[in-house]
Amino acid sequence: MPSVTVPPAIDSDRLWSSLMRMAEVGPSPNGGSRRLAMTPEDVAGRQLLLDWVESLGCTWQRDRAGNLFIHRPGRENHLPAVAMGSHLDTQPLGGRFDGVLGVLAGLEVLRTLADNAITTRRPLSLIVWTNEEGSRFAPAMGGSGVWTGRLDEEAFFSATDSQGISLREAIHACGEGGDLPLGEPELDAYFELHIEQGPVLEEQGHALGIVTGVQGIRWYDLSLRGQSAHAGPTPMTYRRDPLLAATALIQSLKEQVMADPQGAARLTVGDFQVVEPSRNVVPGEVRLQLDLRHTDDKRLAELDAAVERLAGAAAEAEGVELSLQRRWHSPVTPFDDDLIASLRRAADARGLAAPAMMSGAGHDAVHLSHVTPTVMLFVPCRDGISHNEAEYAEPEHCAIGTQLLCDTVLERAERD
Amino acid sequence: MPSVTVPPAIDSDRLWSSLMRMAEVGPSPNGGSRRLAMTPEDVAGRQLLLDWVESLGCTWQRDRAGNLFIHRPGRENHLPAVAMGSHLDTQPLGGRFDGVLGVLAGLEVLRTLADNAITTRRPLSLIVWTNEEGSRFAPAMGGSGVWTGRLDEEAFFSATDSQGISLREAIHACGEGGDLPLGEPELDAYFELHIEQGPVLEEQGHALGIVTGVQGIRWYDLSLRGQSAHAGPTPMTYRRDPLLAATALIQSLKEQVMADPQGAARLTVGDFQVVEPSRNVVPGEVRLQLDLRHTDDKRLAELDAAVERLAGAAAEAEGVELSLQRRWHSPVTPFDDDLIASLRRAADARGLAAPAMMSGAGHDAVHLSHVTPTVMLFVPCRDGISHNEAEYAEPEHCAIGTQLLCDTVLERAERD
């Protein structure tokens, strides 16, 4: 049996040209893409991929959720497949790289192996997950969620879009449903290359990041209720102003987050509303949403306690009533140590300084990590901008990420 | 000529029963009143008043703005009239006292003089101003504004309600326009009794406040623009978060306001909006409105400078762009010293501890103060609540305010 000692080189130009070609499927007005899940554009994107892999001699199957599994046989096809994947659906005004890069990097790996007449020990799988974005049907990461059993089937299939069309109906209408049972085929490992969707790699001048896991997340809904009052006749000391309590809370929470010893805590207040706003009326109620993240569950738990303590103190100081609801908690998800080590070896072999980093965003890989050894690679994206038509990744960075994917997938597929 | 040495006593029960009767004109669902300016309910309220004053032998005139002037002749009718007044229009879900008390207290004064067969040296005038609330037609205090020349006639008459009906049309449709030229009759003084619409008198246990003027007000519109970003992948140190800048500004401004040596500064943030809010997205833009008030123009100017300085500092600290617009500035309006002294004498004579206070809200008296000696009296209202069906003033407090109004109007009307 041949073993691969010097990994073959991927074709950077071919990769880039495939990315640009895919972007023309469902082009958006300002140079991005619009391929909402299970629309004709999404189907056309998948078909383009299938046209490409057909010429490589691959076969494919779909499951009921429309997840698409492209198979490349190995030498020992009874062994579980080594998988690569991501998604082809986009935001309504999405970019050319989010998800697409992971899929087309996998395509480029398959093409490179074909070019070099390499047949791996284990079979390979290239997976396109359904409805990762969640823009048309909530929640996001639906296809991987239902395939891994982490998302309830009914929640997945019954989700409706703004027109009242269910995802079940949309999959059927697109002809994207198939016979492969959910959870099959068995996988040996799952690799996902993705743009970072943040600014760190670019700012630090790195071409690649090795993703060691996903941050823990806690979501909160807060309501603070005081006494609405005229701005004029009510002295400050007589007020019970929920807006002052809310801003005090945010500032004190920010202090905690900024003081994080690891510098890894993140606080986002994505919504802040005055109920019945009026320029010259002290608000009666303010509602806000908090998003707290950390790479360390212990620190996230400490921040959780801080939210409760600081919100209580802020409410008490202003004499307002607090309602604090914990809406969601997603613990830190670690990726597979062996796969991380394998990526590290491959990066070292290529002379690449690839920092270990945690993903702040959710990805299909998060669900996959609960059922199979999983890892991710990040490449930089310009200004950290994503979910936006202006999303951009350098051809060189896309190529480097794809090369590392190729190197590690080969090693994994060949191992004893 | 007779002079009044012992002022007559007003009839507290009659006053209260008139207030309760007027509240039945345009009753609102929960015990308040709904008499929007120049609606059939507003006209019916005015007609009830006219029925009452007709039996006292008074006459009346209206001007083009629908302001209603009720005349009670004096002994020397070539002298300018001593006026009392306020408004009968209400908020959509208004209370039984805001404005109404000032008008019906004036009625009670006229009735008391009639009971006691007193004819004052100067004639008296009881004025009902059009559209004080501004709920149907903006701006508020329109009738007194246009009568005093402080509001442009076109702005007054061309204001439209939500149905597109202009105030000019509404006055005409109600038959409330008259021949009296704007600015007539000449007034010797203007007295307005009103509920405080704040909590101070009640909290301090006073039945009456002598209003020495109206606070200065400054309004601001702020926009803070940073960079929208994913909550997850963007470390705090890479963010340009306008919400954190806005909350820091509010907190630092609050510190300045709370440190005011006179304790007279007031800060209200009546509106605070995230543009395109999303739970897990760092806001790209935040907009807020500030309302700053002070009883001292010099201190208000210092706070104005603080807004600019602190907003600039907060924006710089977060790396966001600031747009600061000054929307309105109303300087401190002092009331007439002689009338204030007259109220003080009357309160002393009745053994009433009546604190001097500044009005935080606008009133018709603010416009009047620019053309004639003006003063106001406040009585407490429960929990400081106003512009609300639950608005309530104690019968005893209404009576005390009306008695002081009677005492001082008599003194003013009789003076040499």
Side-chain angles (χ1 to χ4, degrees):
Chain A
M1 292 189 302
S3 93
V4 182
T5 48
V6 180
I10 62 113
D11 182 336
S12 164
D13 292 342
R14 180 171 57 188
L15 170 68
W16 187 254
S17 119
S18 299
L19 284 164
M20 295 306 103
R21 174 73 190 84
M22 182 61 79
E24 290 165 15
V25 180
S28 68
N30 299 301
S33 294
R34 178 187 174 89
R35 289 191 303 273
L36 291 169
M38 293 297 150
T39 56
E41 293 77 20
D42 190 21
V43 173
R46 289 163 165 241
Q47 188 54 53
L48 176 60
L49 175 69
L50 292 180
D51 293 345
W52 282 330
V53 297
E54 189 166 24
S55 68
L56 301 175
C58 294
T59 59
W60 54 86
Q61 288 177 286
R62 296 181 182 86
D63 63 21
R64 282 191 285 130
N67 295 312
L68 174 62
F69 297 81
I70 293 163
H71 306 299
R72 184 178 198 266
R75 304 192 304 276
E76 301 181 33
N77 287 313
H78 63 283
L79 293 176
V82 174
M84 305 168 283
S86 196
H87 59 97
L88 288 175
D89 69 317
T90 72
Q91 293 279 324
L93 294 172
R96 299 174 168 224
F97 302 90
D98 177 357
V100 188
L101 175 61
V103 174
L104 298 191
L107 168 69
E108 179 55 34
V109 171
L110 300 184
R111 285 169 162 172
T112 300
L113 298 184
D115 289 348
N116 291 273
I118 295 170
T119 301
T120 51
R121 180 176 178 226
R122 291 175 178 75
L124 301 184
S125 185
L126 173 58
I127 310 176
V128 180
W129 299 109
T130 296
N131 189 39
E132 194 275 345
E133 292 291 359
S135 302
R136 185 178 172 199
F137 302 97
M141 302 180 283
S144 56
V146 75
W147 187 84
T148 56
R150 306 258 309 158
L151 174 64
D152 181 67
E153 284 195 35
E154 191 53 25
F156 176 82
F157 286 107
S158 299
T160 53
D161 68 6
S162 61
Q163 309 298 308
I165 298 168
S166 72
L167 183 46
R168 179 183 285 110
E169 291 164 334
I171 293 169
H172 182 76
C174 288
E176 286 291 319
D179 298 334
L180 186 69
L182 290 173
E184 294 191 17
E186 189 187 350
L187 302 182
D188 174 71
Y190 177 75
F191 290 85
E192 185 166 351
L193 170 65
H194 207 280
I195 55 171
E196 182 197 346
Q197 300 180 284
V200 178
L201 289 173
E202 181 178 57
E203 293 274 347
Q204 297 182 349
H206 290 296
L208 193 80
I210 297 174
V211 187
T212 58
V214 179
Q215 296 177 346
I217 307 175
R218 283 183 173 273
W219 281 357
Y220 305 85
D221 283 354
L222 284 90
S223 158
L224 293 151
R225 269 183 233 93
Q227 175 63 55
S228 176
H230 276 235
T234 315
M236 298 303 284
T237 48
Y238 290 101
R239 297 185 183 191
R240 300 193 294 118
D241 185 340
L243 188 136
L244 294 183
T247 52
L249 163 63
I250 292 167
Q251 285 297 307
S252 57
L253 206 48
K254 182 199 164 194
E255 273 175 39
Q256 292 272 318
V257 162
M258 298 307 284
D260 183 60
Q262 298 152 269
R266 291 171 197 180
L267 164 67
T268 303
V269 187
D271 198 5
F272 186 117
Q273 283 180 41
V274 174
V275 177
E276 295 183 41
S278 173
R279 178 187 287 281
N280 55 352
V281 176
V282 179
E285 183 177 359
V286 163
R287 294 179 193 151
L288 60 155
Q289 299 182 336
L290 302 181
D291 175 310
L292 270 177
R293 305 195 182 204
H294 206 288
T295 54
D296 179 337
D297 275 331
K298 186 159 160 288
R299 276 291 297 148
L300 189 59
E302 289 167 10
L303 286 172
D304 178 65
V307 168
E308 185 149 342
R309 185 178 70 248
L310 296 172
E316 196 181 331
E318 296 288 341
V320 304
E321 198 182 315
L322 166 72
S323 154
L324 171 65
Q325 286 191 292
R326 289 177 172 82
R327 287 295 301 274
W328 188 46
H329 175 208
S330 173
V332 172
T333 305
F335 285 152
D336 184 75
D337 286 338
D338 287 345
L339 297 189
I340 292 167
S342 156
L343 279 173
R344 174 66 56 213
R345 280 193 304 276
D348 289 348
R350 298 268 177 193
L352 290 166
M357 60 196 303
M358 295 284 275
S359 173
H363 294 287
D364 292 313
V366 178
H367 286 315
L368 269 292
S369 71
H370 292 274
V371 300
T372 194
T374 293
V375 79
M376 291 187 77
L377 297 93
F378 277 168
V379 293
C381 59
R382 190 162 61 197
D383 298 331
I385 291 172
S386 180
H387 286 195
N388 189 303
E389 293 169 278
E391 183 182 276
Y392 186 75
E394 295 288 341
E396 184 198 351
H397 296 156
C398 294
I400 289 172
T402 302
Q403 186 63 63
L404 262 279
L405 180 69
C406 185
D407 295 354
T408 45
V409 163
L410 263 183
E411 183 193 278
R412 181 78 185 180
E414 284 302 322
R415 84 180 193 289
D416 293 336
Chain B
M1 292 191 301
S3 91
V4 182
T5 46
V6 180
I10 62 110
D11 183 336
S12 165
D13 291 342
R14 181 171 59 190
L15 170 67
W16 187 255
S17 120
S18 299
L19 284 164
M20 296 306 103
R21 175 72 191 82
M22 182 61 79
E24 290 165 15
V25 180
S28 68
N30 300 301
S33 294
R34 178 187 174 87
R35 288 191 304 273
L36 292 169
M38 293 298 149
T39 57
E41 293 76 20
D42 190 21
V43 172
R46 288 161 166 243
Q47 188 55 53
L48 176 59
L49 176 67
L50 292 179
D51 292 345
W52 282 330
V53 296
E54 189 167 24
S55 68
L56 300 174
C58 295
T59 59
W60 54 86
Q61 287 177 287
R62 295 179 182 88
D63 63 21
R64 281 190 287 132
N67 295 312
L68 174 61
F69 297 81
I70 293 163
H71 305 299
R72 185 178 197 266
R75 302 191 305 275
E76 300 180 36
N77 289 314
H78 63 283
L79 293 176
V82 174
M84 306 168 282
S86 196
H87 59 96
L88 288 175
D89 70 316
T90 71
Q91 294 279 324
L93 293 174
R96 300 175 166 221
F97 301 91
D98 177 357
V100 188
L101 176 61
V103 174
L104 298 192
L107 168 68
E108 179 55 32
V109 171
L110 300 185
R111 284 169 163 172
T112 299
L113 298 185
D115 290 348
N116 291 271
I118 294 169
T119 303
T120 52
R121 181 178 176 221
R122 290 173 178 77
L124 301 184
S125 187
L126 173 59
I127 311 176
V128 180
W129 301 108
T130 296
N131 188 39
E132 194 274 347
E133 293 291 359
S135 303
R136 185 177 172 199
F137 302 98
M141 303 179 283
S144 56
V146 76
W147 187 84
T148 56
R150 307 258 309 158
L151 175 65
D152 180 68
E153 284 194 35
E154 192 53 26
F156 175 82
F157 286 108
S158 299
T160 52
D161 68 7
S162 61
Q163 308 298 308
I165 298 168
S166 73
L167 184 45
R168 180 183 284 111
E169 292 164 333
I171 292 170
H172 181 75
C174 288
E176 285 292 318
D179 298 333
L180 187 69
L182 290 172
E184 294 192 17
E186 190 188 349
L187 301 182
D188 174 71
Y190 177 75
F191 290 85
E192 186 168 351
L193 171 65
H194 208 282
I195 54 171
E196 180 197 346
Q197 301 181 284
V200 178
L201 290 172
E202 181 178 58
E203 292 273 347
Q204 298 182 347
H206 290 297
L208 193 79
I210 297 174
V211 187
T212 58
V214 179
Q215 295 178 347
I217 308 174
R218 282 183 174 274
W219 281 356
Y220 307 83
D221 282 355
L222 286 90
S223 158
L224 294 151
R225 269 184 233 93
Q227 176 64 55
S228 177
H230 276 234
T234 316
M236 298 303 284
T237 49
Y238 289 102
R239 297 185 182 191
R240 300 194 294 117
D241 185 340
L243 189 138
L244 293 183
T247 53
L249 164 62
I250 292 168
Q251 285 297 308
S252 57
L253 206 47
K254 182 199 164 193
E255 273 175 38
Q256 291 272 319
V257 161
M258 298 307 284
D260 183 62
Q262 299 153 268
R266 290 169 197 183
L267 163 67
T268 303
V269 186
D271 199 5
F272 186 118
Q273 284 180 42
V274 174
V275 177
E276 294 181 42
S278 174
R279 178 186 289 279
N280 54 352
V281 176
V282 179
E285 183 178 359
V286 163
R287 295 179 193 151
L288 59 154
Q289 300 182 335
L290 301 182
D291 175 311
L292 270 176
R293 306 195 183 205
H294 206 287
T295 54
D296 179 336
D297 275 332
K298 186 159 162 287
R299 276 292 296 148
L300 190 58
E302 289 168 11
L303 286 172
D304 178 65
V307 168
E308 185 148 342
R309 186 178 69 249
L310 296 172
E316 197 181 330
E318 296 289 341
V320 304
E321 199 183 313
L322 167 71
S323 153
L324 170 65
Q325 286 192 292
R326 289 177 172 81
R327 286 295 302 273
W328 188 48
H329 174 207
S330 173
V332 171
T333 306
F335 285 152
D336 184 75
D337 285 338
D338 288 344
L339 297 189
I340 292 167
S342 157
L343 279 173
R344 174 66 57 213
R345 281 193 303 277
D348 289 347
R350 297 268 176 196
L352 290 166
M357 61 196 303
M358 295 284 275
S359 173
H363 295 286
D364 292 313
V366 178
H367 286 316
L368 269 290
S369 72
H370 292 274
V371 300
T372 194
T374 294
V375 78
M376 291 187 77
L377 298 91
F378 277 168
V379 292
C381 59
R382 189 162 61 198
D383 297 331
I385 292 171
S386 182
H387 286 194
N388 190 302
E389 294 169 280
E391 184 181 276
Y392 186 75
E394 295 289 341
E396 184 198 350
H397 296 154
C398 294
I400 288 171
T402 303
Q403 185 64 61
L404 262 279
L405 179 70
C406 186
D407 295 354
T408 45
V409 163
L410 262 184
E411 184 192 278
R412 181 78 185 180
E414 283 302 321
R415 85 182 193 290
D416 295 335

